[in-house]
Structures are given as C-alpha cells and as structure tokens.
C-alpha cells in the first residue's frame, strides 16, 4: 500500500460533499498552506456549495467518482444518511492507495468497512462547527487497516482546523454529543441569558452583547491558572 505521506508522493486531497465541514477542513488546509488548491478536488450535486472551492482554485466536479481518480486522501463530508449511497457509487474506484476519512456522525468504522472493499485504509473523524474558522475540536479513530502513518498524516492535516486528537472509537459519539452538538447548547444557554435579561427589562441588543462578552471571557478564565485570578 502506497504511503500517502511517503517522500516524493504528492498529497492530493479530495472531498465528497462541499458544505460547512468541507469548507472548515479544506479551508484550513488551504489557509495553512498544507495542501495547495491545485491538489484539491471537491464534489457536490449542486454548483452552489462548489463556488467557494472553485474561487479558491480547487478542482470541482459533480461526479463523486472523479474525486477518487484525482485524490489519494478523500474526506466524506455529506450528511450521514447519504454516505451509504455514496460508498456504493465510488466503491469500484477505491483502491489500497486511497485513504478514506469519514466525517459522518454516528456511522461506525465497521459499517464503513463493510461498504468499502477489503483492505482499504479508513479513518473516522468528528469535527464541529468552529472548524469553519479553524478553531475546531476534532477527534479521529483508525479503522482496522489504517496504521500510525495514516494517523500521523491525518493529525497533521486536521491540526489546520483546530485541536485534533486520536481517540478510541467509543469516544466518537460522546464527542458528537458534547462538541459536535455542543456549540448549539452554548448558543441555547446564551439565548436563555438574554431572554432572562429582557424579561427583567433590559433591551435585547445590549443584553446580547453582555451575554456574548460574559460567555467569551468565561472560557478564557477557565484556561487561566486560578492563582492568576
Ligand atoms: N455541522 C456540524 O456541526 C457537524 C457535522 N458533522 C458531520 O459532518 C458531515 C458534513 O456535515 P455538514 O458539513 O454540516 O453538512 P452540509 O449539509 O453543510 O454539507 C453536506 C454537503 O454534501 C453535499 N451532498 C449531498 N448529497 C450528496 C451526494 N450524493 N454526493 C456528494 N455530495 C452530496 C451537499 O450538497 C453539501 O455540499 C456530516 O456527516 C455530519 O454528520 C459532524 C459533527 C458536527
Ligand atoms: O450535522 C450533523 O450531522 C452533526 C451531528 C452533530 C451535530 N451536527
């Protein structure tokens, strides 16, 4: 199996799906300079999502299987329910030279391996919304045919979109709960602060600014040693 990070091997990154997480992860690779746009191919059914990637100079296509022919590391960035049909569509073009990285929440490595040819190097990652500003909290796990080399390669790539750690797959759904969905819980709490302030007579505009600043600073405080407080 060719090592995608072997000396002289060119890292060509593909992505099937061009939505929020695709933009966060591939956007981070572009911003960090880890992968040039000319070595990126992105597919999606509609041109809407592809516009961003086309503007960056990436190759774009409506053909998922083309991504396999042009890439050696392929991210699967469609919603989970779409992944099985995508894997059926591309399976014939997947070889041992590819590394497949699924972003799909709730789709196990076992399921992914059952839908792909034997021996394919598969990893599963869980991003979160802050990836879109390269401040994500990302975890990943290896499939049965992915080794330390693939893990090191993926960790290096994903470090471009925030914090990234390898974890046992049993942590994946936990991460999806606290971090994949966690941002929405924080927004819900912020809304509750504002609603409370408005109920007590404060205009919502200033209540929103105060709540945002309070939450923002609270997170910085948690990262300072207590002695400094
Ligand atoms: N958005 C989030 O905060 C998180 C997302 N995830 C996972 O990341 C993955 C991507 O999520 P988002 O970027 O939010 O989704 P999204 O809805 O923003 O993007 C999905 C993309 O897939 C494309 N697509 C749909 N059908 C397709 C097909 N048959 N072939 C190729 N592309 C197709 C859509 O056009 C769109 O570009 C999902 O599997 C999700 O579970 C995981 C944790 C957090
Ligand atoms: O859009 C999604 O599928 C993910 C799963 C958890 C939060 N968002």
């Amino acid at each position: 199996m060719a090592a995608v990070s072997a000396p002289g091997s060119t890292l060509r990154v593909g992505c099937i799906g061009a939505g929020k997480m695709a933009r966060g992860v591939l956007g981070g690779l572009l911003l960090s300079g880890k992968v040039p746009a000319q070595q990126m191919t992105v597919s999606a059914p509609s041109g809407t999502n592809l516009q961003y990637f086309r503007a960056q100079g990436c190759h774009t296509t409506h053909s998922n299987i083309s991504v396999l022919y042009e890439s050696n590391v392929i991210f699967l960035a469609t919603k989970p329910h779409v992944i099985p049909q995508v894997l059926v569509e591309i399976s014939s073009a997947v070889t041992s030279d590819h590394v497949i990285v699924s972003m799909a929440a709730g789709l196990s490595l076992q399921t992914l391996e059952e839908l792909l040819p034997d021996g394919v190097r598969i990893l599963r990652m869980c991003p979160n919304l802050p990836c879109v500003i390269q401040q994500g909290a990302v975890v990943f796990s290896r499939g049965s045919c992915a080794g330390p080399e693939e893990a090191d390669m993926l960790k290096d790539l994903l470090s471009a979109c925030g914090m990234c750690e390898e974890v046992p797959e049993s942590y994946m759904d936990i991460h999806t709960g606290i971090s994949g969905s966690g941002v929405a819980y924080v927004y819900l709490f912020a809304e509750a602060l504002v609603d409370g302030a408005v109920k007590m007579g404060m205009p919502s505009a200033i209540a929103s600014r105060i709540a945002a600043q309070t939450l923002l600073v609270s997170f910085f405080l948690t990262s300072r040693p207590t002695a400094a407080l």
Side-chain angles (χ1 to χ4, degrees):
M1 287 192 266
V4 286
S5 52
S9 88
T10 305
L11 190 57
R12 297 184 317 286
V13 171
C15 194
I16 295 177
K20 295 181 286 297
M21 293 302 103
R23 278 187 66 158
V25 173
L26 271 67
L29 298 182
L30 289 168
L31 281 172
S32 63
K34 287 184 183 289
V35 180
Q38 299 75 11
Q39 288 166 222
M40 278 188 186
T41 305
V42 184
S43 68
S46 77
T48 316
N49 285 156
L50 291 175
Q51 279 168 359
Y52 163 79
F53 294 99
R54 200 171 297 126
Q56 301 298 318
C58 304
H59 303 169
T60 60
T61 173
H62 297 308
S63 158
N64 293 334
I65 205 160
S66 305
V67 176
L68 276 291
Y69 299 136
E70 296 192 25
S71 316
N72 44 26
V73 177
I74 295 100
F75 289 94
L76 303 177
T78 68
K79 285 301 192 189
H81 67 282
V82 176
I83 296 283
Q85 75 187 58
V86 167
L87 293 185
V88 168
E89 184 187 337
I90 67 171
S91 190
S92 62
V94 178
T95 71
S96 57
D97 288 339
H98 289 118
V99 175
I100 306 290
V101 186
S102 170
M103 299 188 191
L107 217 53
S108 71
L109 284 161
Q110 182 184 340
T111 303
L112 294 163
E113 288 176 347
E114 285 166 0
L115 291 167
L116 284 166
D118 291 346
V120 173
R121 293 170 288 172
I122 303 169
L123 300 101
R124 178 185 171 193
M125 64 177 278
C126 192
N128 68 349
L129 189 57
C131 286
V132 298
I133 55 168
Q134 286 75 52
Q135 294 295 327
V138 182
V139 294
F140 71 89
S141 300
R142 296 180 220 172
S144 55
C145 298
E149 206 161 277
E150 287 73 37
D152 291 346
M153 177 272 297
L154 185 60
K155 187 173 172 72
D156 177 59
L157 289 180
L158 293 179
S159 63
C161 57
M163 170 200 139
C164 173
E165 296 197 20
E166 182 174 4
V167 298
E169 190 177 14
S170 59
Y171 295 4
M172 276 291 157
D173 292 343
I174 299 170
H175 175 281
T176 302
I178 66 166
S179 184
S181 309
V183 176
Y185 303 146
V186 173
Y187 290 159
L188 212 54
F189 178 63
E191 279 175 12
L193 290 177
V194 175
D195 291 348
V198 169
K199 279 200 177 101
M200 291 185 277
M202 184 183 280
S204 64
I206 185 170
S208 300
R209 291 198 298 274
I210 292 170
Q213 176 64 15
T214 304
L215 290 177
L216 183 67
V217 171
S218 305
F219 300 136
F220 285 120
L221 285 178
T222 55
S223 61
R224 289 167 66 103
T226 44
L229 299 181

